[in-house]
Amino acid sequence: MWPWEHLAFAYVLYSLARNVLSRTSPSAQETIAVAVGSQFPDLLDKPLAWTFGVIDTGYAVGHSIFAAPFIILAAYVVAARRGNRILAGAFAFAHLSHPVADLLNRVLRGRPVDLRIVLWPIKSPPPATQGGFIDHFARYFIRYVNAIVAGGLTPQIVFQSLLGLAVLVLWLFDGAPVAADVWRGLHAQRRQ
């Protein structure tokens, strides 16, 4: 999945959970924690594999169900020191949504589920291709654009479209967190 898809997937799930369970919308800080958490596995694994060659594949530490408790504990410690433990929950929720979204994406593309994505260090999928970060990005992006242009109305395109609509509707329903805060801040500065 692409970064914007991981963010949309995590935000939709988190917003729905927050609105249903606590009857409140995510705050701007929670939304930022969701954004960071939704990207964290790829921000950790892709550069380690594609740029630095420390690990063999882009599905390792950050995607691992075995490393997740330690990553979430570290997020909790940071959030507790800042006095806002709910941010750890938002980060954890989004972090855990990432590998789920990767597995779901495989199904939507008509490929079998590969649990090796989440089983590092016991198992890892083989490296897809050689090359650096830019090589991988270009290869995957060209494949993505070709699939959109030539693929027609596939389950993946339908899911992406519905996900995009859902995130927009929920974000507006939630009061446009982050953007609304920036807007209020700019308005307050003009008044001074």
Side-chain angles (χ1 to χ4, degrees):
M1 276 189 132
W2 288 95
W4 53 86
E5 294 169 319
H6 279 296
L7 175 56
F9 186 73
Y11 185 83
V12 166
L13 292 178
Y14 185 76
S15 176
L16 287 173
R18 193 86 164 101
N19 280 294
V20 169
L21 298 176
S22 69
R23 301 200 192 287
T24 59
S25 295
S27 68
Q29 288 182 323
E30 287 171 82
T31 301
I32 292 168
V34 165
V36 173
S38 72
Q39 306 305 307
F40 191 78
D42 282 343
L43 290 173
L44 183 60
D45 290 346
K46 303 305 189 216
L48 286 176
W50 298 347
T51 303
F52 302 111
V54 175
I55 53 180
D56 292 332
T57 177
Y59 297 102
V61 181
H63 290 79
S64 174
I65 59 172
F66 303 112
F70 300 103
I71 293 168
I72 291 167
L73 180 61
Y76 179 81
V77 168
V78 170
R81 284 189 179 157
R82 298 189 72 159
N84 197 346
R85 290 184 180 107
I86 193 128
L87 297 180
F91 175 91
F93 196 97
H95 176 74
L96 293 173
S97 79
H98 185 107
V100 170
D102 281 340
L103 293 170
L104 176 62
N105 189 47
R106 291 182 64 84
V107 171
L108 292 171
R109 290 183 4 223
R111 298 174 70 194
V113 171
D114 187 353
L115 291 178
R116 294 178 299 174
I117 289 171
V118 297
L119 295 178
W120 183 91
I122 294 171
K123 294 246 184 208
S124 289
T129 55
Q130 298 289 23
F133 192 87
I134 300 298
D135 299 320
H136 280 84
F137 176 84
R139 190 175 302 114
Y140 290 135
F141 191 72
I142 289 167
R143 186 183 312 158
Y144 175 73
V145 170
N146 285 338
I148 289 173
V149 172
L153 196 59
T154 64
Q156 185 180 18
I157 298 300
V158 170
F159 179 77
Q160 289 171 341
S161 300
L162 292 174
L163 182 61
L165 180 61
V167 77
L168 178 63
V169 168
L170 277 170
W171 183 69
L172 291 172
F173 176 81
D174 291 339
V178 180
D181 290 0
V182 169
W183 182 256
R184 282 191 292 274
L186 291 173
H187 249 30
Q189 278 186 337
R190 274 196 241 162
R191 290 182 188 166
Q192 292 177 358

